[in-house]
Amino acid sequence: MINEIDKVLYTAKTHTTGGRDGAGKSSDGALDVKLSSPGSNRPGTNPEQLFAVGWSACFMGAIGLAAKARSIALPADVAVDAEVDLGITDGIFSLRARLDVHVPGLNRPLVEALVREAHQTCPYSRATRGNLDVTFNII
């Protein structure tokens, strides 16, 4: 099922050359990265790291929206640690992810509820749902 967009809020524009061993930059110049393949020991980041940072940042925003809807103030030290595995099964590349959610000061059942709600609203979670194995851990 394709989700239609009624109103575009933002469009990220990037230009990438050289694939996994190239470079990428955003049209506004805020992002300018050298890329390298995982485990290559070459300078640069890899697409899995970029995906993990993007997803965890977006997921934190979704947690914030879920908390705001419940009139709950989140502590300043909320954090999401993301791990994205690149793997291969039967010759096909795939991803798997773990998001470790830190919300100090709130009780576990509440954090679990916020995480469930965030997973329903975060665009990264919605885009990956049913396409990769995702585990959430409340830390």
Side-chain angles (χ1 to χ4, degrees):
M1 178 173 144
I2 305 259
N3 293 316
E4 296 291 327
I5 294 179
D6 293 328
K7 179 181 177 185
V8 174
L9 301 175
Y10 173 76
T11 300
K13 296 179 183 179
T14 64
H15 180 76
T16 303
T17 57
R20 287 183 170 271
D21 294 311
K25 62 176 146 179
S26 61
S27 61
D28 64 2
L31 177 68
D32 190 351
V33 295
K34 182 165 182 56
L35 301 169
S36 63
S37 294
S40 70
N41 294 324
R42 287 189 217 119
T45 189
N46 61 63
E48 290 72 28
Q49 291 170 323
L50 294 169
F51 183 69
V53 166
W55 192 357
S56 58
C58 183
F59 199 79
M60 284 180 63
I63 290 171
L65 289 174
K68 184 177 180 181
R70 296 168 184 242
S71 299
I72 296 169
L74 290 176
D77 51 353
V78 171
V80 175
D81 296 322
E83 296 178 342
V84 174
D85 299 325
L86 171 64
I88 192 165
T89 303
D90 296 327
I92 299 172
F93 290 102
S94 61
L95 299 174
R96 175 177 61 195
R98 288 167 304 287
L99 277 72
D100 294 342
V101 180
H102 309 265
V103 187
L106 296 184
N107 67 58
R108 185 178 188 88
L110 177 55
V111 174
E112 288 171 349
L114 295 174
V115 166
R116 278 193 305 275
E117 188 172 329
H119 188 49
Q120 295 304 309
T121 59
C122 171
Y124 280 74
S125 290
R126 291 170 45 94
T128 60
R129 187 169 294 113
N131 295 312
L132 58 100
D133 179 26
V134 181
T135 302
F136 294 95
N137 300 302
I138 310 301
I139 306 298

